[in-house]
Amino acid sequence: MNAFTKMNTALQIDEAQKIFKVSRQAFTDPTILEAERSNIFDKCWLYLGHSSELDKPGDFVTRSVGGRNILFARDGQGELKAMLNTCPHRGAQVCREKHGRAKSFQCFYHGWVFGLDGTLRSQPGEESYAEDFKSRSTSNMQQVPRFESYRGLNFICFDAKVESLTDYLGPVLEYLDVICDQAEEGMTIVGGTQEYSMRANWKLLTENSIDGYHALTTHATYLDYLKATNGSLAPVAFAGTAYDLGRGHAVLEYKAPWGRPVAQWIPSWGEDGKRELDRLYARLLERFGKERADRIATYNRNLFIFPNLVINDIMAVTVRTYYPTAPDHMTISAWALAPKEETDWARKYRLFNFLEFLGPGGFATPDDVEALEQCQRGFRNAGEAQWNDISKGMGKESPSYDDEAQMRAFWSNWNERVFQVPA
Ligand code: FES
Ligand code: FE
């Protein structure tokens, strides 16, 4: 039995002394990963993909979600289906492509053919099967136990008894609305999937994705670059708030010195850019009034949806999800999200921001990968140096975007689920 199961918690919390510590064993122990798989990834709503990825009937993608292979397809009626990508015959993965457009799916092993919704259409040697074989539900590909959507974001859950997606998301919905409302015709995924991996525990990326504290040091090069290309970081300085949104969800909402294609101008975008952003802002004003227009245009959001979905609405919008393959290794998938109707100018600068800062080759991600892998290396000393400190901003009524309240929200929920005890 390891120290955790004896302690029944990975946290050391003392509100009066403003102590919040997380045991580093949470990042290294294989038994913790097993508990995470059964108590978190088998129980929570997990992000599957965006509706815009499946534009037309027959479009499909395959992806690994919560350790399962999923076939996500738009059927002939235009309805989205999330199926377990395994043949009801003898188990082979039915669809072996990453994405594409199909009329049907044929399992390559014995040739069973399934419709776009997973129903068995034909199989070689049909005469050797029971007469009603094709009408039995067990002959079809299995749908995932739960599949629900909100504003083009599709989620699945392997626990049939889970609460509805909208109940699970709760106050997160309002932030998703703010992000999606920047588009009039809906948001769309631009380009394909970015995939990369890190030799670090998956929870390090949760922390990092909502960590307003590290920007000035880890991303000093990017901030120097902004200064060099725009003359200075003024007039917009970093400032904002962290919110605990319940159930382990959290968000940072803040101002920052970079340009936003909707709609914060920076000098390096020139007069053309100014005209375009003035036009976008005027339209937001018309649609939402000043307060909400300002929030959409000039505030950044790092939104974390428990357990492993990040939507960063910063200098571009990135959707990111990640899974552990081992206690010290994770794989990451990321997508760029943008208003469908945006002009070529805005799309160009949005994607440039994605390349420049957010993508795996940008200013930010390699720095973050280095920081997270360094932490994981540091955890080799966890036997002696056992605790991480997550106490920044404890006791504040309104924690700042660069405090750690949002991480405490994650860890409390994580602890409760992993050890099945109230935090
Ligand atoms: Fe798919 Fe046999 S395993 S047809
Ligand atoms: Fe970072």
Side-chain angles (χ1 to χ4, degrees):
M1 197 185 262
N2 65 43
F4 275 169
T5 42
K6 268 190 242 153
M7 292 192 312
N8 241 8
T9 180
L11 307 183
Q12 217 181 60
I13 304 172
D14 184 331
E15 300 282 352
Q17 300 296 318
K18 298 187 180 160
I19 292 170
F20 193 107
K21 289 186 188 291
V22 177
S23 170
R24 292 177 179 170
Q25 236 179 311
F27 300 92
T28 60
D29 189 333
T31 64
I32 291 296
L33 179 53
E34 275 169 41
E36 288 173 338
R37 289 207 163 109
S38 50
N39 299 347
I40 294 178
F41 293 113
D42 288 357
K43 292 282 189 312
C44 293
W45 283 101
L46 304 173
Y47 180 68
L48 172 61
H50 196 269
S51 302
S52 64
E53 293 178 87
L54 308 177
D55 206 24
K56 303 241 156 51
D59 284 354
F60 68 86
V61 297
T62 56
R63 56 192 52 141
S64 174
V65 178
R68 278 77 157 180
N69 299 319
I70 304 297
L71 171 56
F72 181 35
R74 196 178 281 281
D75 73 10
Q77 278 67 54
E79 255 183 62
L80 295 174
K81 299 283 172 188
M83 297 165 270
L84 294 163
N85 189 10
T86 179
C87 186
H89 180 219
R90 298 245 293 278
Q93 210 164 282
V94 174
C95 181
R96 294 178 297 156
E97 310 293 325
K98 281 211 144 196
H99 57 88
R101 187 169 294 164
K103 293 201 166 77
S104 59
F105 300 109
Q106 181 169 32
C107 178
F108 90 110
Y109 195 6
H110 308 91
W112 286 25
V113 177
F114 303 91
L116 294 168
D117 60 356
T119 49
L120 179 64
R121 279 200 191 148
S122 65
Q123 77 274 40
E126 265 183 66
E127 62 285 359
S128 304
Y129 283 90
E131 239 171 67
D132 68 341
F133 189 78
K134 271 207 291 205
S135 58
R136 294 176 189 169
S137 61
T138 48
S139 303
N140 300 330
M141 291 176 70
Q142 252 173 270
Q143 307 294 316
V144 295
R146 294 285 295 276
F147 171 47
E148 290 175 25
S149 310
Y150 187 75
R151 295 199 72 164
L153 301 159
N154 297 279
F155 293 76
I156 55 177
C157 185
F158 301 108
D159 178 5
K161 297 192 293 291
V162 73
E163 64 199 312
S164 73
L165 176 66
T166 49
D167 283 353
Y168 178 77
L169 293 175
V172 169
L173 296 174
E174 207 263 319
Y175 288 88
L176 291 177
D177 288 342
V178 170
I179 294 169
C180 295
D181 280 350
Q182 63 184 270
E184 290 194 59
E185 293 171 21
M187 299 291 276
T188 186
I189 297 288
V190 182
T193 307
Q194 301 186 356
E195 289 177 319
Y196 53 105
S197 61
M198 258 186 248
R199 284 184 289 272
N201 185 273
W202 68 280
K203 299 184 292 297
L204 282 167
L205 188 53
T206 294
E207 290 183 341
N208 175 261
S209 301
I210 46 173
D211 182 342
Y213 191 18
H214 76 295
L216 296 181
T217 43
T218 309
H219 303 306
T221 318
Y222 175 65
L223 297 174
D224 286 346
Y225 159 82
L226 280 186
K227 266 184 231 162
T229 49
N230 293 295
S232 75
L233 290 184
V236 182
F238 282 107
T241 310
Y243 300 97
D244 173 348
L245 301 178
R247 291 180 176 81
H249 314 312
V251 70
L252 310 180
E253 201 163 32
Y254 59 101
K255 295 220 172 199
W258 47 69
R260 288 168 52 81
V262 50
Q264 179 171 296
W265 181 79
I266 45 173
S268 63
W269 286 353
E271 283 310 303
D272 281 358
K274 198 157 186 3
R275 268 193 298 280
E276 171 70 8
L277 293 195
D278 285 349
R279 186 188 66 77
L280 283 171
Y281 182 71
R283 185 68 195 129
L284 286 173
L285 264 183
E286 238 172 78
R287 289 167 66 207
F288 301 111
K290 181 151 172 44
E291 198 183 324
R292 193 169 175 84
D294 282 347
R295 200 170 154 215
I296 293 172
T298 62
Y299 274 85
N300 298 272
R301 278 155 289 275
N302 290 37
L303 176 61
F304 171 69
I305 299 175
F306 191 90
N308 65 338
L309 175 63
V310 173
I311 302 180
N312 281 348
D313 172 18
I314 46 181
M315 69 290 290
V317 185
T318 182
V319 178
R320 177 197 291 157
T321 181
Y322 41 95
Y323 284 99
T325 49
D328 59 355
H329 189 266
M330 74 179 113
T331 55
I332 301 113
S333 303
W335 299 269
L337 192 64
K340 264 184 202 155
E341 73 278 6
E342 80 183 344
T343 61
D344 291 347
W345 182 92
R347 181 63 58 86
K348 180 173 140 199
Y349 280 92
R350 177 181 298 281
L351 292 180
F352 186 70
N353 277 342
F354 207 89
L355 281 178
E356 185 183 70
F357 185 76
L358 288 160
F363 273 109
T365 302
D367 290 341
D368 286 321
V369 172
E370 174 63 12
L372 273 44
E373 291 192 345
Q374 284 291 344
C375 290
Q376 194 69 38
R377 281 188 211 117
F379 297 156
R380 286 183 197 152
N381 300 337
E384 293 76 28
Q386 204 193 337
W387 298 98
N388 271 359
D389 184 283
I390 318 272
S391 64
K392 191 166 186 287
M394 262 180 106
K396 277 192 194 171
E397 205 157 289
S398 177
S400 163
Y401 80 100
D402 61 354
D403 286 330
E404 292 172 337
Q406 66 284 6
M407 286 173 225
R408 292 190 287 278
F410 165 77
W411 278 112
S412 300
N413 197 276
W414 175 90
N415 199 67
E416 197 172 321
R417 285 182 180 269
V418 164
F419 297 102
Q420 311 273 290
V421 289

